[in-house]
Amino acid sequence: MAQYLTAARIKAAVDSLADTKGKATLIDFLILKRTLAIKKATKVAITQGEPAYIQASQELIAVWSKTKFDLKAEREVFNVFASLDKKLGFRSGKYISNGTGSTIGGNPWQTVVSLTGDSPRLASLRDDYEGHLANLLLKEAPKTDKPSLYQSAVWRLRRTDVEPLLASLTEAAGRAKALRDYFVAECGLTQKEIDALFSDAGPGIEDTDLTDKAAEPADYLVGLSASVVADASSNPDLCSLELVAALAAKPFVILTGTSGTGKSRSTLKLAEQLQEHYGASVKGQIFQLVPIGPDWTSPKKLLGYRTPFGRERLGKDGKPTNESYEITETLRVILRACHPDSTKIPHFLIFDEMNLSHVERYFAPFLSLMEASAILDDDENAPIIDSHSLVVISEILDAEDKDSPEAESASFLVANDQPLKLPPNLFYVGTVNIDETTYMFSPKVLDRAHVLEIKALTPTEYLSGAATEAQIGIGAANDLLREAIDDRETGILEAGGIASVLNVLAAKHGFDETALEGAKALTLKALDGCFKLLAPVGFEFGYRVVKEVHHYMLAWCKVQLALGLAPAAILDKWIEGLDLALFQKVLPKIHGNRAALGDSLKALAAFLVGSNEANDPPAKYALGIDAVFGIPPGSEISVPAGVRFKRSIDKLNDMHTRLISRNHVSFVK
């Protein structure tokens, strides 16, 4: 007859293990040990592609008994050593992809774990690791004990039929020791590991601790059935609508905002969701977080460099050579994006703290070539890596792992005698903080990007998890980015000039032509007014801004269609999209002191309200003694009642207030 541990007995083990010296990372050590034991090996890959790792995770941290983790599901995983308040131990299924494998690669683990090879790295235990375990995996808590090996065994066997292990055992102590011995053997724990990490004692298994049916997780994991805080930022199926719209319109986006507002997180979330969306159909990681250093003065830290002083190797001609190339993670992502099987899949480079160094220096090739590739008919004249260097790169990647996507991509290019160019499916996102350690972006950088501002939440908003920005499903986001990739690849948006960019809305998406012409006229009138008011203070804008505002409006309309809005409803809220376009493309370059700017910001805000120079508030300002600049009657924009350019007006008013109080202002705080 089957015998299972009761919910009460398992709950007692959970409560006991939570309040011990064991750190949360102790579970990662046990997962590593169990994976090695299953493989009967001394080295193992801790990745989703390793069945032994998935089995070990299922046994030691899975909440449910199903055989496959749902990476999108909340409370899919429970860490029994991190559950002091009965909730801290819960994790989403993503822990499987970013948990143990990431943890053991950290610096604190270097005394215990050795990682060798690449894609994937193989983890093994160092020769002298046992002496470092307590320092790494136990807390300095004098009033608490080490976790009980007996209670750990109960947790491991929480849904296992233990009747074969107990056999004819009747004594409580003997039963508990049988479970303990099974757990030790299963994880391959040595006596030195046990002495370092566990208390080798615990309560027995009484008759009342056994039942004929496996306990339900909700009966021993307090908080499992409680409602999850509705944090929109953690919803695995949604991502930032504004970020997707900006990327669809332009592959380079800059995120500004106060430190700690989640600028990097929003882009990483989008990239991670797309990685999961494509799953096994894509080889390798489709994104890379690139922390910018304060000493970056050239593109070498991004693109690597060729050197004649590398380790000796055999070239493809069979001759020894020291010629080498320092290959960066950024370069690997670019190569993966160029792989023939991945050309329709969005790839991301996420530059963290982008302005810690002068962007114009280290990012210069990207600034030039992302523009050139959209203009030149023969984009082979705009390489990011020349064909000669690519030969060396290909040889080195082949020696590492010729089956990796970056090695295959480089090999294809070399075989066709092609250089490496920036692919249309590569997107660039940079985060920006402004303080005494950073540099302000130059106009040419801001001119080539969409600038989004991430607002800080109030403490109440943060704790409530209320959604503070519009969201879009990851499936729709993927479709929009893929369509943008197609447009970039074919150059269709460049073909007919600015005037025809929005015509596709009538031709293919059912927009009324007459109403669309009215929306286009409004767009031009708004741009003309902004130009007229900003030119006298030195912030006139050129062809690129006008073009990209139109491109953005096209992308924004496609986003609205993806959300289910009808063309007529989209045209009714056209000002909402145009507001975002002006905010991202016209306002970011504005900066200066009171003498230079005068009341131009206040006048521009008035213009966006719908005023001309004769209205109140007036859309005009004075510079010097006699010079007055404004919007003459008849040139104002028509803003329907109850509609406004909210984002831009609020920003301009905020900038004007800061200009008055500080005598200097910039868009990026």
Side-chain angles (χ1 to χ4, degrees), residues 494-517:
E494 307 292 337
I498 296 176
S500 63
V501 165
L502 295 173
N503 291 346
V504 68
L505 294 173
K508 293 185 177 181
H509 298 289
F511 282 63
D512 180 78
E513 288 189 22
T514 302
L516 182 60
E517 287 301 319

Side-chain angles (χ1 to χ4, degrees), residues 379-460:
D379 55 12
E380 300 305 326
N381 290 322
I384 196 79
I385 299 291
D386 65 82
S387 56
H388 298 295
S389 295
L390 197 57
V391 171
V392 180
I393 293 169
S394 179
E395 291 180 359
I396 295 170
L397 291 174
D398 280 349
E400 285 182 4
D401 179 6
K402 65 181 181 63
D403 295 324
S404 70
E406 53 263 42
E408 290 179 350
S409 183
S411 181
F412 288 137
L413 291 168
V414 169
N416 293 314
D417 194 27
Q418 292 180 328
L420 177 65
K421 59 187 181 66
L422 293 178
N425 60 326
L426 187 60
F427 297 87
Y428 320 85
V429 180
T431 67
V432 179
N433 287 316
I434 296 298
D435 56 39
E436 63 277 4
T437 68
T438 62
Y439 299 91
M440 180 60 70
F441 282 151
S442 69
K444 76 175 182 180
V445 176
L446 296 173
D447 213 27
R448 286 166 166 78
H450 276 282
V451 181
L452 303 183
E453 185 176 48
I454 308 298
K455 288 283 190 181
L457 305 182
T458 66
T460 299

